[in-house]
Amino acid sequence: MADTKGAYTPLDPPPSYEAAATPPQSTNGALSKPPPLRAPLPLDLPALNALRGKRVILASASPRRKQLLAQIGLTKLEVIPSTVPEAFSKSLSAFEYALRTATQKAMTVYQAELDNPALGDPALVIAADTIVVSISGQIMEKPRSEVEHIAMLKTLRDGGTHKVFTAVAVMAPLESAKDPGYAMESTVEETTIFFDKSVTDELILSYVRTREGADKAGGYGIQGVGALLVEKIDGSFDNVVGLPLRPTLLLIEKVFDQHDDDSEDEYGLGGE
């Protein structure tokens, strides 16, 4: 029997480069004002195409993660943050702490949304957890006060380098009732950040009072004004923002590979 795995209907062909680059004309032939920048067309990939029109849940309230997922075409996300407290021991390694937290978020939201009478089961749940770890190994949470925020950034500056870990967990239901009934894949990405040691206390105070970093682990946002504090990074930029896109896409493809394999097994299409 022909291999049906990965079969999908491709999207319509994209416009020509000439059409995309030609400035629009007004009705009288004169150039009209420049249009707003056009968003890129969605990626034409089997796993992403299979999700179009289905329930895709982001188990996080982070607007930055939502924006990053929109870049690969996942624009119609349901945002359902996990409400379970993140109560794992800080004695765990940073890798294990982030991974357990992301996995717990994904599992909690997935189980809560199964058999949803109004919307049906989720086709995919994506969860992530980002932590900042100082050079001494301290996990840096979100600052709870201005005093703590200033001290946190001074610690990161004086330490010179620190690490950002983001764990991502992706879940999708399987067609059959095969235990455990879902596919889950996860990963943890690591990026090293080099703070600029010439950053002054005055700059730190001024940055803290912008409140940009008030809702961020480590107390700064590298994608915003917080970039002024950073000299360079070693690793993925979007990992520091809160979601490593390339690894996340690979996880989505992996869970859908399992979904396809499960469908073939259920209907007797699998190999020996």
Side-chain angles (χ1 to χ4, degrees):
M1 181 173 288
D3 182 9
T4 61
K5 182 176 177 181
Y8 70 99
T9 303
L11 300 178
D12 293 334
S16 69
Y17 282 85
E18 291 79 5
T22 301
Q25 301 283 331
S26 66
T27 54
N28 62 9
L31 289 176
S32 61
K33 64 180 180 180
L37 292 176
R38 180 181 64 81
L41 296 172
L43 291 169
D44 187 9
L45 296 172
L48 296 180
N49 290 342
L51 290 170
R52 303 193 199 286
K54 297 183 179 179
R55 292 190 73 196
V56 180
I57 298 173
L58 174 61
S60 168
S62 167
R64 295 166 292 280
R65 291 187 179 125
K66 185 177 180 181
Q67 290 166 359
L68 286 167
L69 287 169
Q71 291 179 21
I72 61 172
L74 296 178
T75 56
K76 296 182 179 180
L77 295 170
E78 291 181 55
V79 176
I80 307 178
S82 169
T83 57
V84 175
E86 300 174 14
F88 294 111
S89 171
K90 297 296 194 299
S91 64
L92 293 170
S93 69
F95 181 102
E96 188 64 24
Y97 183 92
L99 182 60
R100 288 193 187 186
T101 303
T103 301
Q104 176 183 259
K105 289 178 180 179
M107 185 67 73
T108 299
V109 172
Y110 177 81
Q111 291 177 337
E113 290 301 312
L114 279 179
D115 302 318
N116 184 307
L119 300 173
D121 292 347
L124 191 76
V125 174
I126 303 170
D129 187 63
T130 300
I131 60 173
V132 176
V133 182
S134 71
I135 196 170
S136 65
Q138 178 186 0
I139 294 177
M140 314 290 272
E141 304 283 2
K142 298 172 184 177
R144 293 168 293 183
S145 68
E146 185 171 288
V147 171
E148 185 177 79
H149 199 171
I150 292 169
M152 183 179 292
L153 292 178
K154 286 183 177 179
T155 296
L156 295 178
R157 175 199 62 190
D158 296 343
T161 65
H162 61 276
K163 294 185 180 294
V164 175
F165 296 86
T166 296
V168 183
V170 174
M171 295 182 67
L174 296 176
E175 290 289 338
S176 70
K178 184 190 301 182
D179 188 60
Y182 59 82
M184 174 184 276
E185 294 288 342
S186 60
T187 189
V188 181
E189 298 296 313
E190 174 185 335
T191 301
T192 301
I193 312 295
F194 297 81
F195 256 35
D196 187 342
K197 287 194 173 184
S198 70
V199 167
T200 63
D201 289 354
E202 180 183 27
L203 176 55
I204 286 177
L205 176 59
S206 181
Y207 177 71
V208 164
R209 289 184 172 170
T210 69
R211 294 298 188 263
E212 178 186 74
D215 64 340
K216 298 172 180 63
Y220 70 96
I222 195 171
Q223 73 277 20
V225 184
L228 293 172
L229 308 174
V230 176
E231 178 183 350
K232 62 181 180 178
I233 71 171
D234 182 8
S236 164
F237 176 84
D238 45 7
N239 184 55
V240 185
V241 177
L243 191 75
L245 270 184
R246 175 61 179 154
T248 300
L249 177 57
L250 290 174
L251 295 181
I252 293 171
E253 291 175 331
K254 282 183 179 179
V255 297
F256 269 86
D257 280 346
Q258 294 180 51
H259 182 279
D260 287 343
D261 290 342
D262 183 66
S263 298
E264 291 179 359
D265 289 345
E266 182 180 11
Y267 294 104
L269 301 178
E272 294 182 0

